Each structure stands twice: as structure tokens, then as C-alpha cells.
């Protein structure tokens, strides 16, 4: 439901000038829908980011694509024929957005923003595919797009000329199996051609593709049109793999299906996710055997599951309960950082991070796992050396690659000493560990290279929650700062654009009510926004900083339309605040003044513009109140919010009966605890202890006092006067009047 349907639309104060208005000066219309969903069941179906331009694209099940850029920029594109977006991708080199819909049609938009020219993304091509398409892959270094088909064939599409090229890659896994049959090996009985799961371009050699099939990986040479190597994980009898020792086929040879792939930023080795929850690590130059095969079980760095472990097998046979299965590895992204480049093919590559979706067991939690790996130092080898492995790799190089797969020890650990397992595993971060995350998207700082995982500064997570009687679910989008250090268990949130906040909020974060207030005094409104004007988005709010990667495009006000406003009159209009309260016990403030839209040049602010420094977090006050009461904080919700514009005070009525009073104060101004008479101190509580040192330096609403709830009576009404009085009425026919001065 649109938030506008839930608004209590009223302006504070009484307007006595109805008969004096010139109706031609006032043109009513919808400025912007705060919630752009056409149905509450709308789901996120695809996500993509173009960091070089600063564009975020979100596809939903109602057939729309929403694009976000600089703060005022938000536009909606419609997939032709109302189809859902199945995959989204950007071509960074030519600034185009590509969408694959559920009918296997490919749509291409031009999203190249023009300087100081109002342009809208234009649909320039729709190409229906005959074959069933499983995915699309683009690269900032190629003007071609690779189309993955269900038959295992890959087709190149020219994004410059907008046609399907003659360049194709046949199903190389079928050709690999044909070679095995000639050698007398029958790999499988199924005659169905294996599907292409993904294609990953080598980060340091644009001529090489890693083609991920269901059964393994093929390294492909684009220019020579030939396969270079084939990587297939084979678990020998007795090796547990991701399924541990509980698999029925433990003592038979197994080939766990592959699901995804990501390459180390150095390009020397890569990680492959498997359906049984294990991750195999391979050196590019050695397709005979993996460097290591690990699961997310502790200790990650010490347990290789592709070799039999007699001791673990003995322990399993003595266990009374079966070991639960692991989730498949759904997605991998291996990230390098700004200092992790090297001029030569060998040398030092600094710390990297592997982001993993899936692979956990029920006892290990859920969410997204981030592993930190130490620097890769590959030794130079002598050209005449003959001590090579069977796969053609120097033993010293192979050992250097394996050493990199030990998690980062951290700056306080001596690398020369043996590291305890608890310290060794501190380089692990788990985000949203109590929730099922369906997808994630890394948000790079600027570069689109290394499959969009280079130098991430944020991560966008998609999860869902069950609604109603458990028959439907609601998608949730949340963004976090990418963990900056090993072992970080929490990460600050990043703020999404306003429409995404309203559409895909958590059940605790859902908007429960809203109201519009007209601010009569420009001086008072200036006090409220002064901190925002001076310091901008400082991230002190519970909502966090705005997504820093979004910077593309511009927005202009249309003054030539039929219902265009008169700038001469609108600039003298009152400023307005939208005040919302949410299930997470926060009260938020938005600037919805028409002055935000009055500019002959490109707009600078989002509309509505959230004022994060004014956000009121009620949980901090409730922790003080409920330390001496038996009420449950979890079941408390905001009942109503009262705002007195002349005194800049806010009263919040809670469902538990408490009334909390906040007063706006400028940063650095002296604060004084509310003086409560002894006769009232059992009912009225000072909230001064809730204030932090940071609060006192900012222009925020300072907690003043609270009126405890009456167990025998509920609040029926509450009012604030502009001169410092609060009145609270109860259904027990009682009335409390408090002098807030």
C-alpha cells in the first residue's frame, strides 16, 4: 500500500484565509509517491550496479526497473509487455543497461548521463532469443555481451551494433566427455547437455573465459576458440566433501555439481562453489588437483574435505545423531582492494576478501560470510628448474598459493609463531547471521573490474520475511558498509534511497504512521536543518550514510508542464516536514518543502529529503525506563507522535502507556536535566542520562523526560502547547498537565 494512503494529512495550526485565496494560484497534484510499489507482493528479481557512472538498478516482479543515481535522481523503466526482469547487467564501457526478461527477450537501454541536459534512459533495442537463456555476462573491457543458453552454448552479442554475432562457444563439457569416452571412461549416464551456470572473465587476461558448467569449469581462449584446461572436482572414496561423513555414497567416487566461480584478484587461482556446500580452490595452471577443498566449518584453514580422515570417520560412526546437510554455495565474490595491484605477473598481492552466500549448516547460522585472506607472495622461479609437479607448476609456487588460503592472522599475531585456531578464525565476518539471505550485490568504490568486486565499500543484501499466516513473504533490502577489518562481527548500515526504504523495509522498520506539518517560522525551520546544511550526511543516524556509490545523472524541475508551479509564489510558501514513526521504535523527519524543487539548474537534494540527524531512537530511553519495570520492550510500538513547532518539542505516545518528551537543542548549547519535584518523581522520569557526548555536540532532539504508563488506564489523547505545557488524557477520566519549563 502506498504510504500516501496511510498519511494523516493535516497542517499544524488553523487556516482562516480560505475565502481570501485565489484558486488559480494553487494547483493540486502528486509530487512524488513515497512508495512506488504497485502491489505489496512485489519482489526484487534482479540487481546490478555500475560503479564508474554511479547507477544502481533494481528489477521487480511487477515488470519495472528502478534506477538510482545522485540524490535527486530516481527513474522507473518498464520492461516491454510487463515481463519480469530475470537478469540485469551494465556495460560500463558504452553506458548501457541490459535486461533479460522471463520470456528470454533482451532489452537494452542507453543510460549515458549528459552534462546539464535533461535526458531519460531510452530503450534502443529489444531482441527476442529463440533459445532458453539462463544468464547474461558483460565486461567493462568488452563491447560484446555473452549470452548463456540452457543447451550449454554461449553466444556473443555486439552491444555497439546491436546484433547477434556469429561467434559462439559450443558446449565444451560435452566435448570433454567425448574425449573421456575415447579413453574408456564413462563420466555420467545422463544424456542431457549440462547447462552453463556462469561465465567469468579472467581479471588480468581479457582473452580468457572461465565457463562454469554444472559438472565443472572450462578455461576458454577467445581468440583461438579452444579450451585450455578443464577443472573437475572428484571426491575419492572416503572423502567427506561438503556433505561430511553422513552421505550414503561416502565410499564411492563423487563429482559434486558446481554452482558458481570467482577469481582471486591476482588471476593466479580461483574458487569454485559446489552444491554440497564445499568450496574448491584451483591454481589456473594446474587442472589435475585442487589446492584445497574447504567448508565453512571451523577451523576453515585446517580442514580439507577432499581427502579421507580416518579419525573423523571413526567419530562419525560413534555419533548417535545424523549430521545436517549444508546449504549449496550460491554465490562467490573475491575482492581486492586499492593497494592490491602489482606491476608484474608475480610479486606481492595484498589482503583479499571472499564473500560467500550459502555453505552453512543449521548450527553455524545463516547470512553472508566474508573471509579475509593474507597477501599472496609468489616467488620467482629459475627458468632451468626441473622440479615441477605433474600439472606443470613449480612446487614453490603451488605452496605459496596454498599459504594464501590460511585466513588472515591479524596485525597483532606474530607470523613466525603458531597461531591458535580461535585467533586464526578471527578473520571471518558474518552479516545477517540469523536471516536467510537470498542474494547480495557488492558496491565497488569506482572500478567495475574484477566482475564488479574490486575495492567494495558496501554490500547490498536481499532477504525476505514471512507475512500474514505464513502464506506470503516480503522482500527486504538492506545495505551495509563492507567490513573494513578481519573479525568485524557487525557493520554500519548504509541508507537506501527513500522509495526503497519504504518499499523493502524490514517488518521492524515498516512505517506505522505519518503526518505532515507546516512550519510557519522560517527561523525555526532553519534551526532544524542547519546541521544538515553545514555537515551533510555524517552517518550518526541509525539509518547510516547514503549509499556513497550513487552519483550519476541529474534531475530538473519541469516548469513548462500543464500543472507547473509558479516559482514567484512557491518560493514564499511554507516549509513542510513529514514525520513518520516506525516499527523499530524510531521517529524520522523528512523535508518535503516545495522549495527543494525550485531551481532552474539541476536539483541537489533528494525529494523527500531525509534529515537523519533529527531521527529519534526511542529504544535508548526505554532501556532506562524498563530497567525498573516489568514491561516487555519487544511488544512496545509507537501509538502517536505530537510535534509543537513553536517550541520544537516532540511527544511520543507508546502502546505501553508511556509518553516521552524530546526537545530540539542546537549542538554545543548547555543542557540541563529536567527538574522533577519530589512529589512527581514516581510518575515522571528524567531522560538526561540517555544523552551521549555525541548527542550534545549535534543539533538533535534531546530527551527531556518521560511519563510512566498507567497499568489501569490507557492514553486516549495527548497535546503539546507552544509555550511549554503537556497534557495527557487517560480512559480512566484522568488528566495530567505537566509544565515542561
Amino acid at each position: 500500500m502506498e504510504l500516501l494512503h496511510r498519511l494523516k494529512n493535516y497542517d499544524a495550526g488553523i487556516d482562516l484565509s480560505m475565502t481570501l485565496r485565489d484558486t488559480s494560484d494553487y494547483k493540486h497534484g502528486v509530487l512524488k509517491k513515497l512508495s512506488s510499489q504497485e502491489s505489496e507482493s512485489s519482489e526484487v528479481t534482479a540487481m546490478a550496479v555500475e560503479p564508474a557512472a554511479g547507477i544502481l538498478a533494481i528489477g521487480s516482479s511487477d515488470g519495472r526497473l528502478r534506477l538510482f543515481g545522485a540524490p535527486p535522481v530516481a527513474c522507473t523503466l518498464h520492461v516491454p509487455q510487463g515481463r519480469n526482469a530475470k537478469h540485469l547487467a551494465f556495460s560500463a564501457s558504452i553506458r548501457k543497461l541490459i535486461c533479460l526478461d522471463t520470456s528470454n527477450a533482451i532489452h537494452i537501454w542507453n543510460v549515458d548521463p549528459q552534462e546539464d541536459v535533461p535526458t531519460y534512459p531510452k530503450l534502443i533495442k529489444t531482441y527476442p532469443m529463440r533459445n532458453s537463456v539462463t544468464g547474461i555476462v558483460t565486461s567493462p573491457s568488452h563491447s560484446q555481451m555473452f549470452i548463456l543458453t540452457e543447451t550449454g552454448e554461449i553466444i556473443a552479442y555486439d552491444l555497439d551494433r546491436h546484433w547477434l554475432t556469429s561467434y559462439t562457444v559450443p558446449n565444451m563439457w560435452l566435448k570433454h566427455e567425448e574425449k573421456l569416452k575415447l579413453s574408456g571412461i564413462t563420466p555420467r549416464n545422463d544424456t542431457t547437455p549440462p547447462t552453463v551456470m556462469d561465465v567469468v572473465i579472467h581479471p588480468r587476461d581479457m582473452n580468457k573465459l572461465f565457463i562454469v558448467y554444472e559438472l565443472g569449469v572450462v578455461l576458454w581462449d577467445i581468440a583461438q576458440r579452444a579450451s585450455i584446461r578443464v577443472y573437475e572436482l572428484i571426491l575419492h572414496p572416503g572423502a567427506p566433501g561438503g556433505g561430511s561423513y553422513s552421505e550414503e555414497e561416502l565410499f564411492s567416487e563423487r563429482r559434486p555439481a558446481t554452482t558458481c566461480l570467482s577469481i582471486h584478484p591476482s588471476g593466479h587461482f580461483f574458487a569454485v562453489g559446489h552444491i554440497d556446500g564445499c568450496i574448491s580452490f584451483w591454481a589456473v595452471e594446474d587442472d589435475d588437483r585442487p589446492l584445497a577443498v574447504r567448508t565453512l566449518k571451523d577451523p576453515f584453514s585446517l580442514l580439507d574435505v577432499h581427502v579421507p580422515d580416518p579419525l573423523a570417520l571413526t567419530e562419525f560412526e560413534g555419533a548417535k545423531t545424523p549430521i545436517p546437510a549444508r546449504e549449496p554455495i550460491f554465490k562467490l565474490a573475491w575482492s581486492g582492494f586499492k593497494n592490491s595491484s602489482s606491476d608484474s605477473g608475480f610479486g606481492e598481492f595484498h589482503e583479499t576478501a571472499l564473500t560467500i552466500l550459502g555453505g552453512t549448516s543449521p548450527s553455524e547460522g545463516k547470512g553472508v560470510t566474508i573471509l579475509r585472506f593474507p597477501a599472496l607472495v609468489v616467488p620467482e622461479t629459475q627458468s632451468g628448474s626441473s622440479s615441477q609437479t605433474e600439472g606443470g607448476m613449480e612446487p614453490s609456487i603451488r605452496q605459496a598459493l596454498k599459504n594464501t588460503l590460511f585466513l588472515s592472522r591479524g596485525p597483532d599475531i606474530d607470523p613466525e609463531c603458531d597461531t591458535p585456531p580461535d585467533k586464526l578464525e578471527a578473520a571471518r565476518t558474518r552479516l545477517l547471521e540469523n536471516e536467510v539471505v537470498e542474494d547480495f550485490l557488492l558496491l565497488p568504490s569506482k572500478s567495475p573490474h574484477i566482475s564488479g568486486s574490486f575495492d567494495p565499500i558496501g554490500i547490498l543484501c536481499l532477504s525476505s520475511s514471512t507475512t500474514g499466516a505464513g502464506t506470503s513473504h516480503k522482500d527486504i533490502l538492506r545495505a551495509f558498509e563492507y567490513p573494513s577489518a578481519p573479525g568485524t562481527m557487525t557493520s554500519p548500515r548504509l541508507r537506501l534511497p527513500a522509495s526503497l526504504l519504504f518499499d523493502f523495509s524490514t517488518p521492524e522498520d515498516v512505517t506505522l504512521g505519518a503526518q505532515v506539518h507546516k512550519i510557519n517560522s522560517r527561523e525555526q525551520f532553519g534551526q532544524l536543518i542547519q546541521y544538515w546544511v553545514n555537515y551533510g550526511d555524517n552517518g550518526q543516524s541509525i539509518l547510516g550514510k547514503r549509499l556513497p556509490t550513487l552519483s550519476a545523472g541529474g534531475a530538473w524541475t519541469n516548469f513548462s508542464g500543464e500543472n507547473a508551479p509558479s516559482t514567484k509564489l512557491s518560493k514564499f510558501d511554507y516549509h513542510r516536514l513529514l514525520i513518520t514513526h516506525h516499527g523499530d521504535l524510531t521517529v524520522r523527519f523528512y523535508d518535503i518543502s516545495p522549495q527543494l524543487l525550485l531551481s532552474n539548474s539541476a536539483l541537489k537534494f533528494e525529494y523527500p529529503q531525509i534529515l537523519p540527524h533529527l531521527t529519534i531512537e526511542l529504544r535508548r530511553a526505554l532501556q532506562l525506563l524498563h530497567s525498573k519495570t516489568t514491561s516487555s520492550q519487544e511488544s512496545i510500538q509507537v501509538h502517536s507522535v505530537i510535534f509543537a513547532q513553536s517550541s520544537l518539542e516532540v511527544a511520543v505516545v507508546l502502546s505501553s502507556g508511556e509518553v516521552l518528551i524530546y526537545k530540539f537543542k542546537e549542538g554545543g548549547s548547555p543542557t540541563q536535566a529536567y527538574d522533577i519535584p519530589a512529589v512527581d518523581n514516581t510518575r515522571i522520569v528524567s531522560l538526561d542520562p540517555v544523552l551521549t557526548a555525541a548527542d550534545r555536540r549535534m543539533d538533535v532532539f534531546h530527551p527531556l523526560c518521560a511519563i510512566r504508563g498507567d497499568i489501569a488506564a490507557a492514553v486516549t489523547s495527548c497535546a503539546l502547547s507552544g509555550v511549554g505545557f503537556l497534557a495527557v488524557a487517560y480512559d480512566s477520566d484522568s488528566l495530567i498537565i505537566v509544565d515542561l519549563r
Side-chain angles (χ1 to χ4, degrees), residues 623-637:
Q623 291 173 356
L624 175 65
L625 288 176
H626 286 220
S627 61
K628 300 180 181 179
T629 64
T630 58
S631 300
S632 174
Q633 184 176 335
E634 297 298 325
S635 60
I636 296 176
Q637 293 292 341

Side-chain angles (χ1 to χ4, degrees), residues 170 214 305 404 423 520 643:
E214 291 178 287
V305 296
T404 310
K423 294 289 186 181
N520 298 320
F643 174 66

Side-chain angles (χ1 to χ4, degrees), residues 216-527:
V217 179
V218 172
L219 180 59
W220 176 260
D221 188 304
I222 297 177
Q224 298 298 325
R225 299 195 178 197
S227 62
I228 303 173
R229 297 181 184 276
V230 177
Y231 310 87
E232 182 181 13
L233 177 62
I234 300 176
L235 298 177
H236 298 290
S244 187
Y245 290 95
S246 58
E247 287 199 7
E248 297 179 357
E249 302 177 350
L250 177 63
F251 293 103
S252 62
E253 190 176 82
R254 287 153 291 148
R255 291 174 169 84
T258 59
T259 56
C260 54
L261 180 146
S262 188
I263 310 173
H264 188 273
S266 68
H268 292 309
F269 59 109
F270 58 93
V272 179
H274 295 273
I275 199 168
D276 64 349
C278 70
I279 304 173
S280 59
F281 296 89
W282 297 80
V284 174
E285 301 300 326
D286 185 3
D287 55 357
D288 287 341
R289 55 195 176 101
L291 295 170
V293 181
R294 308 270 172 81
T295 67
L296 295 182
K297 180 181 178 180
D298 289 331
F300 174 88
S301 304
L302 304 179
L303 297 179
D304 278 322
V305 296
H306 65 305
V307 293
D309 186 348
L311 180 60
L313 179 59
T314 303
E315 293 177 353
F316 168 73
E317 291 176 345
K320 298 181 179 180
T321 57
I323 299 176
R326 292 184 173 276
E327 285 186 325
I329 301 294
F330 298 110
K331 190 172 184 178
L332 295 172
W334 210 331
S335 301
F337 300 92
K338 284 185 177 180
N339 61 347
S340 61
S341 61
S342 177
D343 295 334
S344 60
F346 295 101
E348 183 175 355
F349 296 88
H350 292 267
E351 187 178 82
T352 60
L354 181 62
T355 307
I356 306 167
L357 178 60
T360 59
S361 67
S363 62
E364 295 170 348
K366 305 171 185 177
V368 176
T369 305
I370 300 175
L371 302 179
R372 290 275 182 166
F373 293 106
L376 166 62
V377 180
V378 181
E380 295 186 3
T381 58
Q382 296 181 359
S383 58
S385 176
S386 59
S387 58
Q388 296 185 343
T389 65
E390 186 178 346
M393 282 192 68
E394 286 283 352
S396 59
I397 297 179
R398 183 179 180 86
Q399 187 59 46
L401 298 179
K402 292 187 68 173
N403 291 342
T404 310
L405 299 178
F406 283 80
L407 298 187
S408 295
R409 296 166 179 257
D412 57 337
I413 303 298
D414 186 355
E416 301 298 329
C417 300
D418 292 335
T419 307
D422 59 336
K423 294 289 186 181
L424 197 63
E425 298 305 308
R428 180 194 303 254
T429 300
R430 185 74 55 79
L431 298 177
L432 302 175
E433 61 180 349
N434 296 321
E435 300 184 29
V436 177
V437 179
E438 299 177 357
D439 196 6
F440 71 83
L441 178 68
L442 295 187
L443 305 174
S445 59
K446 200 65 179 176
S447 172
H449 294 283
I450 313 185
S451 301
S453 60
F454 180 73
D455 193 27
I457 57 177
I459 178 171
L460 183 62
C461 296
L462 171 64
S463 58
S464 63
S465 66
T466 304
T467 60
T471 57
S472 61
H473 72 279
K474 178 181 182 297
D475 278 354
I476 299 170
L477 277 177
R478 275 167 293 188
F480 301 90
E481 292 184 12
Y482 198 81
S484 58
T488 305
M489 299 312 296
T490 59
S491 190
R493 286 185 65 176
L494 294 173
R495 190 176 72 251
L496 298 172
S499 62
L500 293 182
L501 278 177
F502 285 115
D503 286 346
F504 302 110
S505 58
T506 65
E508 298 79 15
D509 202 31
V510 67
T511 304
L512 301 178
Q515 53 191 254
V516 176
H517 285 270
K518 180 173 65 179
I519 309 299
N520 298 320
S521 170
R522 294 179 180 271
E523 290 75 14
Q524 289 174 326
F525 184 78
Q527 287 181 320

